[in-house]
Amino acid sequence: MKIYDSATKTLREFTPLEPGKVGIYLCGATVQGSPHIGHMRSAIAFDVLVRWLRRTGMEVTMIRNVTDIDDKILAKSAAAEWPWWAWAYRFEQEFSAAYRELGILPPTYEPRATGHIEDMIALISRLIERGHAYPGDPGNVYFAVESLADYGSLTHQKLTDLDCDDDAEPDKRNPHDFALWKAPKPGEPDSAAWDTPWGRGRPGWHLECSAMAYRYLGESFDIHAGGIDLRFPHHENEQAQSHAAGYGFAQYWMHNAWVTIEGEKMSKSLGNSQLVAEILRNHPAVLVRLALGTVHYRSTVAYSEQTFTEAAAIWERLAGFVHRAVAAVGEVPDIASVPLAELPADFVSAMDDDLNVSAALAVIHEYVRRGNNALAHHDDVETEQYQRLVRAMLDVLGLDPQAEPWREQASASSARTHALDTLVEGMLAERTAARAAKDWARADQLRDALSAAGITVEDAADGYTWKVND
């Protein structure tokens, strides 16, 4: 497998530190507000990574953190007159619900920043001892960027090229230094600060991730993932802290591109954020997953209503084949355990090429075409085989129609379809009886009622056919 490493800007062969095992750290949510599709773009992209690595036989440890203490959480909770911790927990639950609805696998561990204060204090102590950090005013501790020779190596920037903060805190030695620990601001609740050897305060954003990555993945781990907008300063500063502590930190960096709305990057500042809850009120979750998860993770997702129209057509073809195949030959069990060696070589090659999901989806479409031919020829052996392969490939993308949560949705859809069939067939049976009795007025009345409901009836010499209008 080859991965595009954002740090070296090259496509590198992926070799885990420990054969057969992969450690991944994914920057998760800062739970200041409701999740939008930009958050889900990142979660889905790296959910596919986890699924693929596990399909190749790797044992994957995925860490996805929750930042539950920061300036915005404190400001927004105060404005809403909520306890800060209750505000954070409210939106953490919204993120968890969105992950579940979109079929995103749970991480191995999902640590909260506030649960790792001791780890952060220990890391600050180590950085001070090694000459890479210093206390400022009581409660403030800063990282000394000039102390680290490779600062800027992730994003290939030099300190001399970075903008200088004219409003930098007066207790900083260098305007580019960043906070490891922050003294409370006036009016902030006492519960949002912790005692340390350097004064009472709370953690800096970057410090949290370095401390939690070390706690769960050790001094060095395989992949650090996140949105491209986090590369600087967040990921740069994470790497600086960890390297300064003497740790190898991430061996590969993977960054997903953002979502655009009518050609503009989606962001709260532009007022064009698309909240997941709002989208799911109007579109099935599986279409959101398909739209966000079948574009290469390094490519921008252009969001529009047309996006869902196209996704619906694709899903109808994919799920339609699977449902017909299951109806014809029964459900093939244990799809998640189909070995890598049985998957089509072109699919494997595409996924090994830096998760080329577009090329992988093209292979799936080809196998759906073959499966439909097998169904048309009533070849049960081939139908079963194509069901198995198509579903195994879709499972890698988190889109197997027979797996949860899509299976539950399909069952609900199937129940609705059965109810519709029963009602329509009952009305058509009554219409047939009326026609036989030459009660043309009643027959026309029934046909008109169906037409008004969006159902077209076509009479034929041997009976009738009906369909729901598009």
Side-chain angles (χ1 to χ4, degrees), residues 419-432:
L420 178 64
D421 287 348
T422 301
L423 291 171
V424 172
E425 288 294 340
M427 291 178 71
L428 289 175
E430 184 181 348
R431 178 173 177 268
T432 299

Side-chain angles (χ1 to χ4, degrees), residues 83-110:
W84 65 270
W85 46 267
W87 184 265
Y89 187 67
R90 166 191 170 182
F91 292 111
E92 180 183 340
Q93 294 305 296
E94 285 194 21
F95 271 86
S96 296
Y99 294 143
R100 287 193 299 271
E101 285 195 70
L102 294 174
I104 296 164
L105 298 173
T108 312
Y109 306 110
E110 193 167 24

Side-chain angles (χ1 to χ4, degrees), residues 257-467:
W258 45 57
V259 179
T260 61
I261 310 294
E262 297 180 350
E264 287 189 313
K265 177 195 171 186
M266 190 186 70
S267 70
K268 292 186 177 71
S269 62
L270 294 175
N272 62 357
S273 294
Q274 298 291 319
L275 298 183
V276 175
E278 293 176 359
I279 292 172
L280 292 180
R281 277 196 285 270
N282 300 310
H283 303 284
V286 70
L287 299 189
V288 180
R289 167 106 197 189
L290 196 153
L292 296 179
T294 55
V295 175
H296 192 280
Y297 75 93
R298 288 193 287 118
S299 297
T300 299
V301 174
Y303 171 90
S304 68
E305 284 303 307
Q306 181 64 25
T307 304
F308 292 110
T309 301
E310 295 168 357
I314 294 171
W315 181 245
E316 183 177 354
R317 184 166 188 266
L318 300 176
F321 162 69
V322 170
H323 294 151
R324 288 191 297 274
V326 169
V329 299
E331 181 177 350
V332 176
D334 301 325
I335 291 299
S337 62
V338 173
L340 183 70
E342 293 187 21
L343 296 182
D346 288 348
F347 179 85
V348 174
S349 178
M351 295 302 296
D352 275 347
D353 181 19
D354 193 35
L355 304 180
N356 189 342
V357 292
S358 298
L361 189 60
V363 177
I364 297 174
H365 278 300
E366 170 59 21
Y367 275 72
V368 166
R369 185 189 66 78
R370 298 181 190 181
N372 281 327
N373 285 339
L375 278 169
H377 290 90
H378 305 289
D379 188 330
D380 289 353
V381 173
E382 283 203 351
T383 295
E384 181 175 335
Q385 178 64 2
Y386 284 122
Q387 180 202 151
R388 187 169 188 265
L389 293 176
V390 167
R391 287 181 54 209
M393 290 186 284
L394 287 174
D395 180 69
V396 170
L397 302 183
L399 290 168
D400 176 13
Q402 296 297 113
E404 297 299 347
W406 323 129
R407 184 188 189 96
E408 181 179 347
Q409 294 178 11
S411 296
S413 176
S414 177
R416 288 192 295 271
T417 300
H418 177 71
L420 178 64
D421 287 348
T422 301
L423 291 171
V424 172
E425 288 294 340
M427 291 178 71
L428 289 175
E430 184 181 348
R431 178 173 177 268
T432 299
R435 284 164 60 89
K438 300 187 185 306
D439 186 352
W440 308 118
R442 179 57 178 163
D444 289 345
Q445 184 184 40
L446 290 164
R447 179 170 185 152
D448 291 344
L450 290 167
S451 179
I455 295 168
T456 297
V457 179
E458 296 180 358
D459 293 311
D462 56 349
Y464 56 82
T465 60
W466 65 272
K467 67 175 183 178

